[in-house]
Amino acid sequence: MNARGFWRGRLWLALPLLAALYVLLVLGASRWLGGVRVDLTQDRLYTLSPGTRDMLDHLNQPLDLTLYFSDRASHNLPQLRAYHQRVVSMLDEVVRDSHGRVHLKLVDPLPFSEDEDRATAAGLTSVPAEGTGESIFFGLAGRNAGNDHTAAIPFFLFARERYLEYDIAKLLYELSTPHKPRVAIYSGLPIWGGTDAEGNPAPAWTALQQLQQLFDVRRLDGASLASLQATDADVLVLIQPTGLSQADVQAVDRYVQRGGRLLAFVDPDSELDGDTGSELPTLFRAWGVAFDPERVLLDRSRALVVQSPLTGAPVRHPSVLGLTGDEFNRRDPVTAVLNLIDVSSAGYFKLLPDATIRLDPLIQSTTEAMSVPTARVREAFDPSALYNGYKPDGEHYAIAVRLVGTLPGAFPADVPARPPARKPEVILVGDTDLLADRLWVQAGTSPGQALMTPFANNGDFLVNAVDDLAGPSDLIAIRGRAVDERRFTRVDALRRQADDKFKAKQIELQAELSDTEQRIAQLKQSAHGHTGTAAQKAAVEQFTQRKLQIRGELRAVQRSLDADIERLSMLLKFIDILLMPILVSLLGLMYGAWRTARRRADGA
Amino acid sequence: MSGVTASAATDRRGSPFAGVFLRELHGYLITPVAWLFSVIFLLSAGAFTFYLGAFFERGQADLDPFFRFHPWLYLVLVPALAMRLWAEERRSGTLELLMTLPIHAWQAVLAKFLAAWLYIGCALALTFPMWLTVNYLGQPDNGVILAGYLGSFLMAGALLAISECLSVLTRSQVIAFILALAVCFLFLLAGDPLVQQPLLALGSNRAADALSDLSLLAHFQAIASGVLDLGDIAYFVLTIVFWLAANALVLAARRGG
């Protein structure tokens, strides 16, 4: 009895003690052991890349980072809190690898507190929480303790999770560089404003105004372009540069070869300056890129509605395109989080067969696109006329591209003997209209000044591209890592095969269908609304039959497009859902039967 | 399994610990319930992945839709597997027999736990066609998949330790099951608003955060994202050790009584 009492007493004592110990140990483990980790991902997504570490090694001034996170207000946003954890662990890693030069402070900016004012002053934005409507801050403010230079990440967007390291590294870079990036712009278009056709003063383009807020923007004329050195500007932006002399083109090539960064907008049909061509395509050709100013893209699946100049009725214009989703390169920070880019009569870039570089498309068309002579679009008063004889080329046309690899010099004399410390970087865009206000901002009326509200991301695209090009090579190395998208390549291949096999047939049938429909219409018209002759009636009947038949065939083709993929899906479902359970059941039954048989044999 | 007496097993295999462990393993082979467990696990893991997780339609070469449902599968299946671990022994009276063996309570607890964990591990390993499938369809990040399996196995271990401990409290398997289900559910959801809300209502953010550190789900998701953090691993090890220790304590107390 004594022993029993003894154990009972100890049990009740030991269990709560054990529980308390457990809670303490678990909390301690996540505080003190967290961060020691093995990164099993192939791309080392959770380890700082050599580019970031290199940048941290070269910091020469102490940087203070303050992470503002609305801890209290975000309690019912588990996804945001988890992302906050991820951000904190990455910042911890940055602090660890910074040799004591980066300091991190975590702040919860409560409503109406001084912290909240400080967060707002640092350039952070808040978003209202769903449900409660409380303001949520989740951004990073940075300050260079040496020169009081500041920079911020206004809000950690979940959509940019893959670029978390890139964004943080960029902030560190901005803090440690003493000046705003210098951007030199040469344009053949009236982007700087001035006076319009009627002599009224016109403001500078909104896209340009945005650039001016963020960068140190300088306007180049012909003379200053010809003498431009790589050290004069961090980024050179050319917008439909007209009237370039050979010397100017050579200056651009020299600038790039010496480690300059170039963002060039060229347009086969710039609606703002008529049809003045540019000399740049010769330069592109030397680099290995083809751009034909005589060809323009149509893409009926992305056509935007415009007012027909002929009738005034709304009509879908196949060369005024609203590009979204799959048309953007999600692996490139320039286009990673864009939603919509509007372009008008855009051209496209192709790699020349003997090129030594690679083209990474940033913005591309769908496979429903086709290319037509520029003159056709320019002379089409009625946009719907562009649909005549429309036949998709089945190809993704690259509207904006990044040139990857070592660029061959167009003028061998200008190629430096040693590769420059800063790597040349070039982004080419086949449209200039996308920068014009009418394609992406709407002027609102607010007292005093016109408030511009964007309805497309065209301005963001320009800022992103310049921002990206202004960064150091280390940053670009980090960007290269952000490859994450892994698709079912086999399914894609099956789909392509099916497309190859059936698309031609589908197009053929569609052509025949519209032909037949046209004939029926003609026949009916020639009958002038009256009942036609018996022969005419019979012909209409015959064509109608044929029409139904073609539609049936089209449906069959559509079905066979997906047949292989459907078959694969069924097979995999069988293997992954049913096969193992069936095998295990069989094994179990066999084992049971064997045991029964053995027991019977033993008993006998 | 209670048909095979523990003493017979020890006689045959030497150490009492190995004896209990092998007796348990053998038990899984001869009970239809255990076979049924693997069949249901495999069937629902596959069906959830394809139908609820839209594995094929989403076209991404990873096993996210597969691992996403593991916590909920285990939530039902692990308590079902563990409910009889001690309750059955107590009901049929074999517990007294087991207690007469020259074996520490913690050894018996550990042996039963390891046998059951190994058994769940085998069922988990039999999902390998999923891994083959995703490698056939594309080029997945196999490091992340490995981490997913590891996290899933650790989570199963933690839920098992909880369920085993609760099974020792009662003679009734049904009560053991319901009790285990409830506690496992709380542990899974400790970080969820559902559980956090009452704490936050009391204005205790610190307590709420501490509670989410206790959440099985959060630690599992952290590992399954592809990074083995010592903090996460320590959490699972501590959780398993704590519940097994509690189990051994209760058992020792009963033996004392």
Side-chain angles (χ1 to χ4, degrees), chain B residues 31-60:
Chain B
T31 32
V33 175
W35 288 91
L36 202 62
F37 169 87
S38 0
V39 170
I40 292 176
F41 174 74
L42 292 169
L43 206 62
S44 31
F48 283 5
T49 307
F50 275 89
Y51 293 105
L52 293 182
F55 170 74
F56 196 80
E57 290 73 16
R58 70 199 264 283
Q60 297 291 315

Side-chain angles (χ1 to χ4, degrees), chain B residues 18 46 54 69 90 97 118 121 194:
Chain B
F69 296 107
R90 285 185 61 184
L97 204 63
L118 183 68
L194 203 71

